[in-house]
Amino acid sequence: MSDYLTYIWRPVTGGRHAFPIAATKNPAGLPAVAFCGAEADAAELHDRSEVVWIREDSCMRCWRILAARP
């Protein structure tokens, strides 16, 4: 098990998805791809408000993919 984060949940347009940490380094304008395959502009991974967190549902496909990992 890693001592460092390997993924991060972010509420983007269409739901709260899990993204690899590397996706947070993508510059705005480039796509960030969630574990389920959903794409969002990398800019959407930053500075999300608490209201957005509350309004978006978690992606159950991301959840199942991460839960199945060793």
Side-chain angles (χ1 to χ4, degrees), residues 1-8 19-22 35 66 69:
M1 178 182 230
S2 174
D3 290 339
Y4 302 100
L5 290 175
T6 57
Y7 61 89
I8 192 163
F19 293 88
I21 287 294
F35 283 91
L66 293 174
R69 292 171 63 175

Side-chain angles (χ1 to χ4, degrees), residues 13-58:
T13 303
R16 188 171 37 244
H17 293 275
F19 293 88
I21 287 294
T24 64
K25 308 272 190 250
N26 291 357
L30 288 181
V33 181
F35 283 91
C36 70
E39 288 189 22
D41 186 304
E44 288 191 68
L45 303 185
H46 305 284
D47 300 324
R48 304 306 285 182
S49 72
E50 289 181 11
V51 172
V52 176
W53 272 92
I54 293 167
R55 289 183 178 160
E56 296 293 345
D57 291 328
S58 292

